[in-house]
Amino acid sequence: MEPTHLFELVIGMFVSIIALHYVADRLALPPSVALLAGGALLAFVPGLPTIEVDPELVLVIFLPPLLMDGAWTIALGRLRRHMIGIASLAVGAVFFTSVVVALTTHLLFPALPLAACAALGAIVAPPDAVSARAVLQRVRLPRRLQILLEGESLLNDASGLVLFRFAIAAGVTGAFSAGAAVGNFFLLAIGGALVGLAVGTAWVQLARRLGDEYLIIAATVLLSWTSYLLGEFLHVSGVIATVTTGLIASWHQHTVLSAATRMRGTSFWTVIVFLMEAAVFILIGLSLRGVVERGGGFETVAATMAWPIVVILLALTLARFAWVFGSDAVIRIGNAFGIKRYTPVGARAATVLSWAGVRGVVTLALALSVPEGFPGRDFILVTSFAVILGTVLIQGTTLGRVIAWAGLVEPQSEKARLTLSQAEAAMAQVQLVTVESQAYDTAGNLIHPQLLERYQRRAVSIVDYAERTEHYVPILHAHFDLILAAVATGRRELLRLHRAGEIDDETLHELERDLDLEELSALAAKA
C-alpha cells in the first residue's frame, strides 16, 4: 500500500470513529460495540485492502498510553486499600481462567498439544484495560467494585503475557516448568516496578526543571512509551513499569504541574486517549476479514469451529464466576472464624464483578503473535476473535442492565469521611487564616480590606452551605444558570466586536479564555 493511501485510510478511520460514536450516542449503545461492529462491516467493503495488524506494533502504540491514563486517574488510596482483591483478580483469576480454558480445549481436541491449549487460555484469560475503560465509563458502580475492576485491568496483562510466553515456549521446545514460570513472573513484576520507579522519579525531577508548560506536556505524553519500551528492553514487565510510572506521576502531578499545564495537558491527553481507545476497537473490527480468511472462510469457521468456540466462551465466563464467588465464599468463611479484615462483596456485587470481564486488544495482539506453524494456530486466532466479539457485544451491552438489576448501594465504609462541601469548608478556613495573617502591615493597619472581607464572607457561607446543602442546591443551580447565560451573552458581544473589527485577535483570545474559565467553573459547580 502506498504511503498516501495509508494516510487516507487513517483519516477515513478517524472520520468513521466520529460517525460511529454519534450513532452509538443516538442509539444508547456502548461506543465500543458500535466501533467494533462498524470496523467489522468496513472490513468487507469492496475495494478496501485487508488490514494486517502487527501485534507487537499494536501493543507498543496503544497499550502504554492507555495503561498510563488508567494509572494517572485511579484513586490511589482505594487502590492500596483493595490491593489484595485486585491481585486476586489480576493474578489468581487470570491463572485459574487460563487453566480452565486450557483443560476445556484439551477435552474438545485431545490431539491438540496441551501447550497450545495453555496458549489459548493465556490469550483469552485477562480482561482488557481498554475494553474495561470503555464499559466502565458508561456505568456507575460502587467505589469498591470500580477500583477492583480498574486495578485488575491495569495489572492483569502482565499475568497473561507471562503465561502466554511460557506456553509458546513450551509448544516450541516441548519443555515447561511451573516453578520457573512462577519465579519468572515475580522477577518480571519486580523488575518492571523498579524500572517504573526510576522513570517516574526522573519525570518528577524533569517536570520541576523544564519550566515551559508545552515541554512538560510533551515529556508527559512520551512518559508511557519511555517506561514501557525501557522495561521491555531490560526484559522485565513493560506493563508493570508503565503502571508504576503512572502511579508515581499521578501522585506528584499536583505539586509539580502548574494549573495552566494541568488544564492544557488534560485537554490534550483526553483527546489523544479518546482517539486511541476508539481506534483500538475499529482495528479489532477491521481485522475480522483476515481472521476469517485464515480460518478458511465463514462456512468453514461456522461448520468446524462454532460449537467448540461457544463451549470455550461459556467455560471462560463460568471460570470467572467461579473464581469471584469462590473468593467471596472464602472471605465469608474467614469472617465466620473471626477473621474480619476483609468484607465479602455479596452475591449481587459478585455477579456484576464476574460479568464485567470484557476482552479486547491484548487478546487480539497475543493471538496474532502466535508463531506460524504453531499447533492449532488458526483455531486459536478464530477463537480469540470470537471471545472478543462475544464479550464486547454480549457483556458490554448488558452490563448496565446487570448493574441496574443488582441495585448496588455504596457501603458506609467506602464513603469518604468528608463530603465535597465539607472539604471546601475546610479549605476556606485555612485560606482565611492565611489572608488574615497578611491583611495587615507591620504597624497593624488593614491594607487588604476587600480581600479580607471576601474570604471572611466565603468562609462563613461555605460552612453554612455544608450544613444545609439540600436547602441551597436549587438556589445555587439557578445562580450558576444565570452566570452561564451571562457568559453566553458576553461571548456573543465579544464575537460581535471582533467581527466588526473593533478588537484584534489577541484581545479576542484573551477575553475568550477568561469566559471559558468562568463557564467551566460554573459548570463544575453545578455538577
Side-chain angles (χ1 to χ4, degrees):
M1 185 185 299
E2 294 182 10
T4 53
H5 291 165
L6 178 61
F7 180 72
E8 290 167 359
L9 191 62
V10 171
I11 295 299
M13 181 179 70
F14 286 133
V15 171
S16 300
I17 286 171
I18 296 171
L20 290 168
H21 253 275
Y22 176 77
V23 170
D25 288 337
R26 298 286 293 182
L27 298 178
L29 288 172
S32 56
V33 173
L35 291 165
L36 189 60
L41 291 175
L42 289 172
F44 293 94
V45 171
L48 279 183
T50 301
I51 303 299
E52 295 290 342
V53 179
D54 186 314
E56 292 296 330
L57 186 61
V58 166
L59 283 180
V60 169
I61 290 177
F62 293 101
L63 190 59
L66 297 175
L67 286 172
M68 175 69 70
D69 186 63
W72 189 283
T73 57
I74 202 167
L76 293 176
R78 289 200 294 274
L79 180 69
R80 288 193 297 267
R81 190 160 64 249
H82 295 293
M83 183 52 73
I84 297 297
I86 292 169
S88 171
L89 291 170
V91 180
V94 169
F95 276 74
F96 179 72
T97 304
S98 298
V99 171
V100 170
V101 171
L103 293 177
T104 302
T105 306
H106 196 58
L107 287 173
L108 291 169
F109 301 98
L112 192 64
L114 194 56
C117 301
L120 176 59
I123 289 169
V124 300
D128 184 61
V130 182
S131 300
R133 283 170 51 87
V135 171
L136 293 177
Q137 286 172 353
R138 297 281 167 159
V139 298
R140 188 172 185 84
L141 285 172
R143 289 182 177 89
R144 183 179 179 185
L145 263 63
Q146 186 84 20
I147 197 67
L148 286 173
L149 290 171
E150 288 180 354
E152 177 195 14
S153 68
L154 285 177
L155 301 175
N156 61 9
D157 290 335
S159 306
L161 284 166
V162 170
L163 282 175
F164 172 74
R165 286 169 181 168
F166 269 89
I168 294 297
V172 172
T173 65
F176 176 76
S177 169
V182 173
N184 192 265
F185 172 76
F186 283 106
L187 181 64
L188 291 174
I190 294 171
L194 291 175
V195 170
L197 178 64
V199 175
T201 303
W203 174 84
V204 172
Q205 299 303 319
L206 185 65
R208 283 176 174 155
R209 288 168 172 74
L210 280 178
D212 186 284
E213 60 190 58
Y214 293 108
L215 291 178
I216 296 173
I217 293 171
T220 306
V221 169
L222 296 174
L223 187 61
S224 61
W225 287 293
T226 302
S227 186
Y228 183 86
L229 291 172
L230 182 59
E232 293 297 310
F233 176 76
L234 296 175
H235 302 293
V236 297
S237 174
V239 171
I240 299 296
T242 306
V243 171
T244 304
T245 299
L247 293 175
I248 293 171
S250 172
W251 180 260
H252 288 283
Q253 56 106 356
H254 307 288
T255 56
V256 300
L257 300 183
S258 67
T261 302
R262 192 158 41 247
M263 281 187 63
R264 288 178 175 144
T266 299
S267 299
F268 174 75
W269 187 249
T270 300
V271 174
I272 292 294
V273 169
F274 163 76
L275 291 174
M276 284 194 160
E277 285 182 345
V280 164
F281 288 105
I282 284 282
L283 287 173
I284 291 174
L286 287 172
S287 65
L288 174 61
R289 182 172 165 185
V291 171
V292 171
E293 289 175 352
R294 286 190 187 93
F298 277 113
E299 295 79 7
T300 303
V301 169
T304 62
M305 302 183 189
W307 172 244
I309 286 173
V310 170
V311 174
I312 290 170
L313 183 57
L314 185 62
L316 179 77
T317 306
L318 292 178
R320 184 173 176 86
F321 269 87
W323 182 268
V324 172
F325 275 87
S327 301
D328 213 43
V330 169
I331 295 174
R332 289 184 183 278
I333 293 171
N335 287 176
F337 281 94
I339 304 173
K340 304 288 187 181
R341 183 177 179 183
Y342 304 108
T343 305
V345 297
R348 289 177 178 262
T351 301
V352 172
L353 203 58
S354 303
W355 195 244
V358 183
R359 275 65 177 179
V361 63
V362 173
T363 293
L364 179 65
L366 291 181
L368 290 170
S369 65
V370 174
E372 293 286 348
F374 191 81
R377 184 179 187 274
D378 290 342
F379 177 73
I380 290 174
L381 191 56
V382 173
T383 303
S384 301
F385 197 93
V387 165
I388 297 170
L389 282 176
T391 55
V392 172
L393 296 178
I394 299 173
Q395 292 170 237
T397 55
T398 58
L399 182 60
R401 296 187 185 92
V402 173
I403 292 171
W405 162 82
L408 302 176
V409 178
E410 188 79 69
Q412 192 64 37
S413 60
E414 290 296 320
K415 294 181 180 178
R417 192 172 63 85
L418 296 180
T419 64
L420 174 64
S421 54
Q422 289 170 333
E424 287 180 325
M427 288 170 52
Q429 295 300 316
V430 298
Q431 287 176 322
L432 176 60
V433 171
T434 298
V435 172
E436 284 178 336
S437 67
Q438 300 181 38
Y440 299 86
D441 60 17
T442 53
N445 300 314
L446 181 62
I447 55 176
H448 299 295
Q450 292 180 338
L451 198 59
L452 180 61
E453 181 185 359
R454 171 186 162 194
Y455 275 85
Q456 287 174 333
R457 186 171 61 250
R458 183 168 178 265
V460 171
S461 63
I462 289 180
V463 170
D464 186 39
Y465 175 80
E467 294 173 350
R468 298 194 298 157
T469 303
E470 294 182 359
H471 169 72
Y472 283 111
V473 165
I475 300 173
L476 282 176
H477 275 208
H479 170 82
F480 288 112
D481 282 338
L482 182 55
I483 289 178
L484 291 171
V487 168
T489 302
R491 196 184 305 279
R492 286 194 294 270
E493 176 63 12
L494 180 63
L495 289 175
R496 187 194 67 78
L497 292 172
H498 179 259
R499 300 297 186 262
E502 298 183 35
I503 59 173
D504 56 19
D505 287 353
E506 287 75 12
T507 302
L508 168 68
H509 294 315
E510 187 70 24
L511 295 179
E512 187 178 47
R513 183 182 63 85
D514 292 343
L515 289 173
D516 288 343
L517 290 172
E518 190 175 3
E519 181 178 341
L520 288 173
S521 177
L523 288 171
K526 274 192 66 178

